[in-house]
Amino acid sequence: MANPNLECRMYEAKYPEVDMAVMIQVHHITETGVYVSLLEYNNMEGIIPLSELSRRRIRSVSSLIKVGHQEPAIVLRVNKEKGYIDLSKKTVSEEDVQACEEQYNKSKLVHSIMRHVAEIHSIDVEELYTTIGWPLYRKYGHAYEAFKLIATDPDSILNFLTKEAGPDGEEVTKVVAAVTEDVKDTLVKNIRHRMMPQPVKIRADIEIRCYQFDGVLHIQKALRKAESFGNEDCPVKIKLVTAPLYVLTTQTLDKNQGISVLTNAIKACSEEIEKYKGKLVIKEAARVVGEREDKLLAEQMEKMWLQN
């Protein structure tokens, strides 16, 4: 196919259900309502009546909603014959926002991968959804969950996808694999590139003091106690910035595990130094840090080294 159609809804159902939370993008605002597109349904048009914008009295529509913004809305009515969809913003709860954003982010990633594979192999993206995407949605609740499994064990997921095949105009004669080897290879490569988990860096900042005789040795012992709480998947490393400031770091695929390990390490370190009448103060609790924080720490340590 020379020019495949890369536009398609994300889900098998052509229309959303009433009371469902959907992600919308605002296009224009009129005296009658706010016209939006439903991002998960191939930009199908919908409208939010002005009366559905807020429970409070509206002084300025622009203060409530802005052109170009993406946000969740609740489906009020669906007229499939005329293609009308009425939505509400005022009935959206915090739980709706969280669930809708999580669902949309997963669906958007799946859609991006599907479009890319369809473009490479000159296939209509809807055809790819019909043979791969929507069957995975039906079986796993969301194709995103299936894609996570495909990243580590593609055959166990994709080899079970089949379709009925037969000559045009005749009865079905056999069942064949829904995914050709070249499409499968491209799909798996894209999933692994986009979805394989990346390690995150967790860091905590502490101050530790001990004014007893051999206080330095007691501090060293307490820090070694903290390091012992690390494991193969989540090793604890400690650096001296400048006495009495230390940083504890770990790298792990599981953010929650990393934060837990450093928190427990600090607790053990504090209990150990208190045996010798020392004190540990948490300056910054365990949290995820990025390259910027690493760079600032390196600059701070270099500055302290030069001063010393």
Side-chain angles (χ1 to χ4, degrees):
M1 190 181 295
N3 295 303
N5 181 12
L6 301 178
E7 303 304 323
C8 176
R9 63 192 183 278
M10 297 180 183
Y11 312 127
E12 191 168 11
K14 293 183 179 180
Y15 296 91
E17 298 292 329
V18 172
D19 293 331
M20 180 184 291
V22 295
M23 188 64 70
I24 57 97
Q25 183 168 34
V26 179
H27 279 309
H28 59 279
I29 302 170
T30 69
E31 294 180 353
T32 58
V34 178
Y35 286 85
V36 303
S37 59
L38 280 66
L39 298 177
E40 296 149 289
Y41 293 86
N42 199 21
N43 295 317
M44 183 183 297
E45 188 176 73
I47 184 170
I48 305 175
L50 293 183
S51 60
E52 292 296 331
L53 281 177
S54 175
R55 298 183 186 276
R56 296 174 294 176
R57 185 178 176 183
I58 301 175
R59 294 182 180 274
S60 170
V61 174
S62 61
S63 67
L64 294 173
I65 199 162
K66 290 180 169 45
V67 173
H69 273 204
Q70 296 180 6
E71 56 186 286
I74 299 294
V75 178
L76 291 179
R77 289 172 289 275
V78 178
N79 187 326
K80 296 181 181 180
E81 293 179 0
K82 297 182 179 180
Y84 294 158
I85 298 179
D86 291 342
L87 303 134
S88 173
K89 185 173 178 289
K90 73 179 183 181
T91 57
V92 178
S93 66
E94 288 296 326
E95 293 77 12
D96 291 329
V97 171
Q98 185 175 350
C100 184
E101 288 180 347
E102 183 178 347
Q103 167 94 349
Y104 175 65
N105 288 332
K106 289 179 179 179
S107 303
K108 185 170 66 171
L109 178 56
V110 168
H111 194 64
S112 174
I113 292 171
M114 296 289 279
R115 276 175 54 98
H116 188 59
V117 174
E119 185 176 18
I120 288 175
H121 292 280
S122 296
I123 306 170
D124 282 351
V125 72
E126 186 167 348
E127 179 185 339
L128 207 58
Y129 265 110
T130 301
T131 56
I132 301 174
W134 293 331
L136 293 178
Y137 267 99
R138 289 196 297 269
K139 184 173 181 179
Y140 294 92
H142 200 295
Y144 179 88
E145 303 304 324
F147 277 19
K148 288 197 297 184
L149 300 174
I150 289 171
T152 55
D153 188 10
D155 290 342
S156 67
I157 310 301
L158 296 176
N159 287 357
F160 285 97
L161 293 176
T162 58
K163 62 180 179 180
E164 296 177 335
D168 291 343
E170 297 182 15
E171 292 184 4
V172 170
T173 56
K174 61 179 179 178
V175 175
V176 299
V179 189
T180 62
E181 285 301 318
D182 55 342
V183 171
K184 175 182 173 181
D185 184 57
T186 304
L187 178 65
V188 172
K189 285 180 179 177
N190 272 270
I191 289 173
R192 285 176 174 167
H193 175 68
R194 300 285 298 276
M195 295 186 65
M196 287 299 276
Q198 299 297 318
V200 293
K201 190 167 189 177
I202 314 294
R203 172 179 149 192
D205 299 22
I206 63 170
E207 283 186 356
I208 184 168
R209 293 181 170 89
C210 183
Y211 297 113
Q212 295 289 92
F213 180 73
D214 283 343
V216 173
L217 297 179
H218 298 323
I219 289 174
Q220 290 175 348
K221 184 178 180 182
L223 294 174
R224 284 196 297 271
K225 184 80 172 181
E227 287 179 331
S228 70
F229 273 72
N231 55 55
E232 187 176 341
D233 297 326
C234 211
V236 174
K237 297 182 179 180
I238 300 175
K239 289 182 180 179
L240 169 65
V241 180
T242 181
L245 181 61
Y246 295 82
V247 294
L248 287 75
T249 60
T250 187
Q251 275 195 313
T252 176
L253 295 174
D254 187 336
K255 179 187 76 172
N256 293 331
Q257 181 193 25
I259 291 174
S260 176
V261 165
L262 283 196
T263 301
N264 291 332
I266 291 171
K267 182 181 178 182
C269 186
S270 179
E271 291 173 352
E272 184 67 25
I273 200 64
E274 285 175 2
K275 293 178 182 178
Y276 306 99
K277 299 183 180 180
K279 186 175 182 182
L280 183 150
V281 177
I282 300 174
K283 306 299 290 184
E284 292 278 355
R287 77 275 186 200
V288 176
V289 294
E291 292 182 6
R292 181 175 178 275
E293 288 85 352
D294 277 347
K295 185 178 179 181
L296 290 173
L297 176 62
E299 290 174 353
Q300 182 183 3
M301 291 180 69
E302 183 178 6
K303 182 179 178 181
M304 294 298 182
W305 183 80
L306 290 172
Q307 288 177 349
N308 289 337

